[in-house]
Amino acid sequence: MEMENMIGLTDLLAAAIRAWKQICVTMLVFALLLGGYQGYRQYKLATDPENSPEKIEERYQAALEDYEKRGEELQKKLEGQEESLASKEEYREESLLIKIDPYNKYITNIVFSFSNIDESAQLFRYPNTAADYLPKKIRSQYLELWKSMDVPRDLADGRYADLEWKYLNELISIPALEGELLSIRTMGASAKDAEDLAGAIFAYFDGHRDAIGRSSAAHELSILNQSTKYVIDEELKTKQESLDKEIEDLKTGIEDTKQSIEDLTEPEREDGYSVTAIVKSVAKYVALGAAGGLFLACFLVCCWWIFADRAANSFQLERSVGAPFLGAMKPSCPPAERLAAAVMGERRWRDPEQASAYIREQAEAGFPKEGKVLLLSTLPEGKAGAGMAGLASALEGYAVTSVLDALHDPKAVKAIQDCAAAVFVEMAGQSRLTDIRDLAAQVEGAKRPVLGVIAI
C-alpha cells in the first residue's frame, strides 16, 4: 500500500464523527427494535399462566428442595472420601508389608512335620480307619490354633505386641502341605525380621504342643526345612504405587467435592413480571440495542472509509499531489466537521482573513510572473463551488482560471495546455485519491508544474 493510502485510527475516528447523523439514526433504530422486542416478550411472559405467583412459588420450592438434596449428597460424599483417605493413609503408615522395599524383600519358610506320635491314643481303631488319621487330626488342631490365636500378644517377640492383627497377618501364612506337613511362611524387610517372626510362630506352636497332644495324641514337632530367600516382588511394587495413586485421587476428589459445595448456591426466588421489572428489562435492552447500533454503524462507516479511497486530510492531499500545501479556504462548516478537523490535526485558520492572507503570501512566493495559473479540482460544482469562489477572491489580482470536475470536463485538457502552472483545489474527506493521482498524471504529461494544493 502506498504511503498516501495509509489509514490511521484518527482517520477512522474523524470519519465516524462526520457520519454522526447516520450513526445516531442507526442507534435509534436498533434501540427501538430491541427494546420493542423485549417489551413484547415480557408482556407475553407476564400474561402466561405459568408465571403466576403460585407457579413461581412452586418452582422456587422445587429448586430449593433440589438444592438441599444436592448439598446433603455432596456432604455425604465428602465424609466418605475423608474416611477412605484416613483409612488408606493409616494403612500406608502402619502396614509393615507396604513399607518393605519390593526389590529387597526377604521370605523365610519353615516346613515341619509331626513325629513320635503316640498311637496308643487311638484305643479303638476301626478296621477301615486311615493310617494318617492321627497326623491329620493333629495338623487340623494346629491350624485351628492359628486361626484363634491373638498373634500380636501371644508371640514372644515384643515388637509385635501393639500391632493390629490385620497388619501382621499380611506378613504370615500357614499353608497345609501334602503329607501331613505344615509350613510357616513369613516376610520381612530384612532376613533377620523374617527369620525372627517365623521362629516366634514356631515357638508358639511348640509351646502348645502338650495341650494339643492331650486332646489328640502326644507328638513332637520336627523341622524338615528352614530357608530364607531374597526376592523381588513386582506385585508389591504395583500395590504400593496403586495405594499412592488412590490416596492422591482421594485428595483431589476431596478438593473437587469441597469446591462443588462452595459453588452450590441457593436458588433465588423469581421476581415475577411486575411493571417495574418489565420497564427495567426493556430499558436494559434499549441500551443494548443502542450499543449494538453504535458498534454496527461505526463498523460500517470505518469499512466504507477504508475502501472509499478518500483523502483523509490535507497531509494526504499534499502527498498525493506531490506538491506543497498552500493553505486552506474552508467556508463555514457544522460543529461535527470542525471536531473531525480538530481530531485530524488539520492545518486550518479560524479567521478567513488570515487564511486568505496566508494563501496570498504563498502565491506571491511561488506563482509565476507571467501566464495563467489553473485551479484544478476533481470535485463537482456542488461540492467545490463555494470554496472555489472564496479562493478566487483571495487570489484577486492574479491571472487564474478554474476548472471543476476536471477529469470529466472536456475543457480541462485545453486549460492545462494553456496554463503556465497548476494548483490543485481539493477537499479532505471528499476528494478521491485515485482521481487526484489521475489528474496529476495529466498535468505531468502536459509538462506543466504543480505549484501546490489548497484545501477547501
Side-chain angles (χ1 to χ4, degrees), residues 117-129:
I117 299 175
D118 184 7
E119 297 289 342
S120 64
Q122 189 175 0
L123 298 177
F124 301 99
R125 186 183 183 95
Y126 294 100
N128 59 348
T129 300

Side-chain angles (χ1 to χ4, degrees), residues 139-192:
R139 184 176 66 178
S140 65
Q141 289 179 334
Y142 276 104
L143 289 174
E144 290 301 321
L145 174 65
W146 164 251
K147 294 176 183 179
S148 61
M149 68 182 289
D150 188 351
V151 179
R153 282 186 289 271
D154 290 342
L155 291 181
D157 196 331
R159 290 178 296 176
Y160 307 109
D162 297 326
L163 188 66
E164 292 186 40
W165 163 244
K166 62 181 179 180
Y167 301 127
L168 187 59
N169 187 50
E170 293 182 307
L171 304 177
I172 306 169
S173 61
I174 310 293
L177 307 178
E178 294 292 333
E180 298 80 44
L181 302 178
L182 273 178
S183 174
I184 299 174
R185 190 170 184 269
T186 59
M187 292 175 281
S190 66
K192 184 177 185 306

